[in-house]
Every structure is written in C-alpha cells, then in structure tokens.
Amino acid sequence: SQQGEEDPQALSIQEGENATMNCSYKTSINNLQWYRQNSGRGLVHLILIRSNEREKHSGRLRVTLDTSKKSSSLLITASRAADTASYFCATAPDNNDMRFGAGTRLTVKP
Amino acid sequence: NAGVMQNPRHLVRRRGQEARLRCSPMKGHSHVYWYRQLPEEGLKFMVYLQKENIIDESGMPKERFSAEFPKEGPSILRIQQVVRGDSAAYFCASSPDRDREFFGPGTRLTVL
C-alpha cells in the first residue's frame, strides 16, 4: 500500500510563481524522497532528505521535513513551463521498504 | 481494484544464479516501469515497457539484465548470473496512460 500522500492532487500556476506541494506519511521513516515524472517517462530523483534534517535546497527546489507532523513540503520557486510534471514523495520507513504517494500533477502555464 | 503486486517480496540468491522478479500491474494498466534502488539512494530508472514492447531501456545494464511484459501474465525482470552488486530493492510501477504511476511494494534481492 502507498504510505505517502501528496496534496494537492493537481496544481495549476502561472510561470514565475512558486509551487508548493505537500506530503504526509504515517510511520516513522529513515528518509523521504521527492521525484518528478514527466509524461511518458520514468521517475527522476530530485532530492532526499534524512529524518534528522529539517530543510534541504537544490537549485530552485526547497524541501522541508517535519517528523513531528509526519509531513514534508516541496517548494519550486520561480516556476517554468518545463516544471510541468507529476511530483511524488516516497518514504523509507524503518524497515527500508519504500512507499510512494499518488503524486501531485503540476501544470505551469507560460 | 488491487494495487500493483510484486513477488517475491524478498529473494535470496547465490552468486551466479538467476533472479526472476515479477510485477503484476493494476487492472487495465498497459504500461510498466522498473526501478532499482540501492541502500540510502533514490530510485534509478531501468526500463519502460508496454504490452509486448520495450519502449525505453536506457537504464538497463547492457549485460545479464532483461525485461519483458508479455501479452498475458506479469512483467518479468530477469537477472542472470547475479553478483553481489545486484543486491538492491527493485520496484515496478504501472500506469494506464503514461501520466501517472502506481508503485508496487518492491522486491528486495540479496545476493550472497
């Protein structure tokens, strides 16, 4: 079963705006990962944040992790049309098996 | 509608043996993706298949690895003559339309 749950399920914004996606999970984790999937292609790993980290940056991406609330957020700043994709979070519970959410479909309008 | 199923969940092989991993997609899904995950790393794309066709195998090692998705039955990821470096979790995902992927629970392969 899938553990991570992203919200919103779909998000539509204008180019240049920021996009925020959230992920909630149920059990304790070792790390949480965010992935992007462009239509018709496999997943691309974006960023991994460990359970003892609170925030991580990579380019225009910012990920936060709140283990007390069992939630994470992915912020994409200054979005571009090329950011249009589905975004998934995946969690690695203590037993190291990964669990994926259903994803957020982001549309960035030029 | 049952989710994506993978079996076995855990597989132990000795070096030189063959490993067969199975993935049954969700009902109505004709697209299957295979990924490999090494410990503490993200997923790495291996191969994308549609029924009876390999669409993209750019992530598959050139030797010993093969995948199929027959008209009937599950998708199979086959690893011949396994080596210790093949130890990993292997995930498959299925999709009805190439846009959304639904993941299975994974198969953890251990090579002794």
Side-chain angles (χ1 to χ4, degrees):
Chain A
S1 63
Q2 295 181 334
Q3 175 174 231
E5 293 184 9
E6 294 91 342
D7 89 275
Q9 290 190 349
L11 180 61
S12 182
I13 58 174
Q14 292 295 133
E15 206 165 27
E17 293 181 338
N18 295 342
T20 300
M21 289 159 272
N22 302 298
C23 169
S24 60
Y25 56 92
K26 295 185 174 70
T27 66
S28 58
I29 59 172
N30 286 330
N31 61 65
L32 185 145
Q33 302 172 37
W34 283 92
Y35 292 83
R36 179 180 67 206
Q37 186 217 4
N38 290 82
S39 180
R41 301 183 185 179
L43 291 182
V44 173
H45 181 246
L46 294 176
I47 200 163
L48 180 152
I49 185 166
R50 301 190 192 284
S51 60
N52 61 353
E53 297 175 310
R54 292 296 167 260
E55 188 171 311
K56 207 161 183 179
H57 297 256
S58 176
R60 292 183 297 113
L61 305 180
R62 173 176 167 251
V63 168
T64 62
L65 179 64
D66 187 336
T67 52
S68 66
K69 294 181 180 177
K70 291 187 168 55
S71 68
S72 173
S73 67
L74 170 67
L75 168 68
I76 303 175
T77 59
S79 63
R80 305 167 183 167
D83 294 330
T84 294
S86 291
Y87 291 83
F88 294 81
C89 74
T91 55
D94 291 339
N95 64 2
N96 286 324
D97 289 337
M98 287 184 67
R99 294 290 181 265
F100 287 86
T104 293
R105 188 191 298 270
L106 173 66
T107 303
V108 181
K109 300 175 187 174
Chain B
N1 190 0
V4 178
M5 298 175 69
Q6 288 187 248
N7 69 81
R9 291 295 313 279
H10 299 275
L11 181 62
V12 179
R13 285 287 178 265
R14 297 193 181 280
R15 280 178 295 173
Q17 291 184 320
E18 179 181 285
R20 279 180 179 248
L21 288 65
R22 293 176 185 77
C23 170
S24 297
M26 291 177 69
K27 188 177 180 181
H29 289 194
S30 59
H31 305 263
V32 166
Y33 303 79
W34 283 95
Y35 298 86
R36 177 165 62 178
Q37 186 208 11
L38 296 172
E40 290 297 304
E41 293 185 13
L43 292 185
K44 294 281 172 54
F45 168 77
M46 298 181 76
V47 62
Y48 162 40
L49 310 103
Q50 280 185 273
K51 283 286 187 181
E52 300 184 273
N53 292 306
I54 295 175
I55 307 300
D56 180 354
E57 56 182 348
S58 57
M60 286 277 274
K62 294 286 186 282
E63 297 177 349
R64 302 187 297 107
F65 284 72
S66 62
E68 62 177 15
F69 188 18
K71 189 175 179 181
E72 301 291 337
S75 175
I76 307 286
L77 178 68
R78 183 179 175 211
I79 311 172
Q80 295 177 290
Q81 298 176 315
V82 295
V83 300
R84 286 217 173 110
D86 297 333
S87 294
Y90 292 83
F91 288 85
C92 86
S94 74
S95 174
D97 55 15
R98 300 185 5 155
D99 276 345
R100 300 295 296 273
E101 292 184 35
F102 297 82
F103 283 84
T107 293
R108 183 167 299 280
L109 172 66
T110 302
V111 180
L112 301 177

